Amino acid sequence: MSPGILTAASAPSSVASVTLWSVTVAGLLLLLAIDIVLTRRPHEVHLREAVTWSVFYLVLPVAFGAYLWGAFGTTVAVEFYTGYVVEKSLSVDNLFVFMLLLAAFAVPAELTQRVLLYGIVGALVLRAIFIALGAAALQSGTWVFLLFGAVLLATAGKVLKEARQGEAHAVDIDSMRSVRLLRRFVPVTGGYRGFRLVVREGGRLAITPLALATVAVFATDIVFAVDSVPAVYGVTEDPFLVFATNAFALLGLRALYFVLRSALARLRHLNYGLAIILAFIGVKLLLHWAHGVWAWMPEIPTAASLGVIVVVLFTVTVTSLRAERAAEPPADA
């Protein structure tokens, strides 16, 4: 169901019943519980383990989309798959920042999983809040599509500017207000203390660098939530589909990080692709609003959106790999 024209009294419609919501949330909590159990024992994640879990978390949304296809029809399934691809591409951008934060805080390899899990849980909570706020805002009228479109276009411009200047994914820990505030009021231990965020040393409470890294990850989660939620609302106005696409995109990030960490730096053109995708969805939202005012204005079908997004992601991946290959020094003869 493509975004429809809303009146002040109407609420975004949803395909989900209370039962479907309950089962989905219960499944999400179960998967998070499994992740917590898996990260209880500190260990460095090897490629085979990461690939296995990454495949599992890719099969899940495919199967869920197939269920939606059978239960609710093609339109709902295409909206879900399109939203998932958008959110997954933006989530990969999350991984760049997580990678830099982990390096900046010198997080030990055996603790990396737990920091990533904290980041994923924080992202899920924040996006659930933003999704609820977005659904409430949509009840007030179609002006919200103008707001969402403007946010995405502004974000696209910022991402493009950073990419052209080579400033993308810069992380300055000392400039983060949340980290500075913690350091000002709470003593920080000189090293990590396993999974512990707070310890008592010398008769007083102190936080560990793991707590600082977790707070920094949460702070970046807020920024990404502001971008990602309007983006998926540009694909569907169904709050359940918006939530499901975000949840499925985020669930596999922990494992995907260990699969892609060596390749992340090679995707040098990814931000150009994300800027194009965000701008495209921003235009899609503006056209949707305009169509409600002037019926002759065209709208962009969701299936066409999926095609554009896939083509953009494929193109920037190929150009990134070619640029990386061209930048490699020639092998000695």
Side-chain angles (χ1 to χ4, degrees):
M1 64 188 168
S2 300
I5 303 306
L6 302 176
T7 64
S10 66
S13 58
S14 177
V15 298
S17 62
V18 173
T19 300
L20 183 54
W21 267 107
S22 301
V23 170
T24 303
V25 172
L28 171 63
L29 294 176
L30 175 61
L31 291 169
L32 288 176
I34 293 174
D35 266 355
I36 292 173
V37 171
L38 290 173
T39 59
R40 283 183 63 185
R41 181 177 60 85
H43 71 284
E44 186 172 356
V45 178
H46 297 292
L47 184 61
R48 182 175 180 179
E49 176 186 349
V51 169
T52 300
W53 281 106
S54 293
V55 171
F56 171 75
Y57 280 118
L58 286 175
V59 170
L60 274 183
V62 172
F64 189 77
Y67 161 74
L68 293 176
W69 200 308
F72 304 107
T74 303
T75 301
V76 171
V78 170
E79 287 187 3
F80 170 77
Y81 285 130
T82 305
Y84 173 76
V85 172
V86 170
E87 291 304 306
K88 199 65 177 180
S89 60
L90 293 174
S91 296
V92 170
D93 201 38
N94 278 43
L95 291 183
F96 276 98
V97 178
F98 287 168
M99 180 176 65
L100 295 177
L101 287 172
L102 291 169
F105 283 102
V107 177
E110 64 271 16
L111 300 181
T112 298
Q113 286 196 92
R114 183 52 63 92
V115 177
L116 291 172
L117 181 60
Y118 288 152
I120 291 168
V121 172
L124 282 168
V125 172
L126 288 168
R127 293 189 189 189
I129 294 172
F130 276 81
I131 289 166
L133 292 175
L138 285 174
Q139 296 183 42
S140 63
T142 56
W143 65 270
V144 178
F145 291 120
L146 275 177
L147 175 62
F148 284 176
V151 168
L152 293 180
L153 289 174
T155 303
K158 178 176 179 293
V159 171
L160 181 61
K161 179 181 178 181
E162 290 176 345
R164 295 184 65 182
Q165 295 177 349
E167 300 174 354
H169 308 301
V171 173
D172 184 0
I173 298 300
D174 293 327
S175 68
M176 300 184 74
R177 293 181 180 178
S178 54
V179 173
R180 289 165 57 190
L181 187 64
L182 278 177
R183 284 175 171 168
R184 179 177 299 179
F185 293 103
V186 186
V188 182
T189 62
Y192 286 86
R193 302 293 188 270
F195 285 149
R196 300 175 70 182
L197 301 175
V198 180
V199 297
R200 183 176 291 277
E201 293 188 349
R204 63 176 183 172
L205 290 177
I207 61 175
T208 67
L210 186 65
L212 291 179
T214 301
V215 169
V217 168
F218 283 172
T220 59
D221 281 340
I222 296 174
V223 176
F224 282 111
V226 172
D227 297 337
S228 65
V229 173
V232 75
Y233 266 119
V235 175
T236 175
E237 67 189 51
D238 186 329
F240 174 75
L241 294 180
V242 173
F243 174 79
T245 54
N246 273 270
F248 280 111
L250 290 170
L251 278 176
L253 278 191
R254 180 183 61 82
L256 190 61
Y257 171 86
F258 296 100
V259 175
L260 294 181
R261 60 181 169 181
S262 61
L264 287 175
R266 302 180 64 188
L267 298 178
R268 57 177 65 188
H269 296 161
L270 178 62
N271 263 28
Y272 289 100
L274 294 180
I276 293 171
I277 290 171
L278 290 172
F280 172 77
I281 298 176
V283 171
K284 183 178 187 295
L285 283 170
L286 295 180
L287 286 175
H288 172 63
W289 170 83
H291 181 77
V293 179
W294 304 287
W296 54 269
M297 289 292 292
E299 287 196 276
I300 301 175
T302 302
S305 300
L306 178 59
V308 169
I309 293 165
V310 169
V311 168
V312 169
L313 291 175
F314 176 79
T315 301
V316 297
T317 300
V318 171
T319 59
S320 295
L321 295 178
R322 286 183 175 177
E324 185 71 16
R325 193 176 300 115
E328 293 177 353
D332 294 334

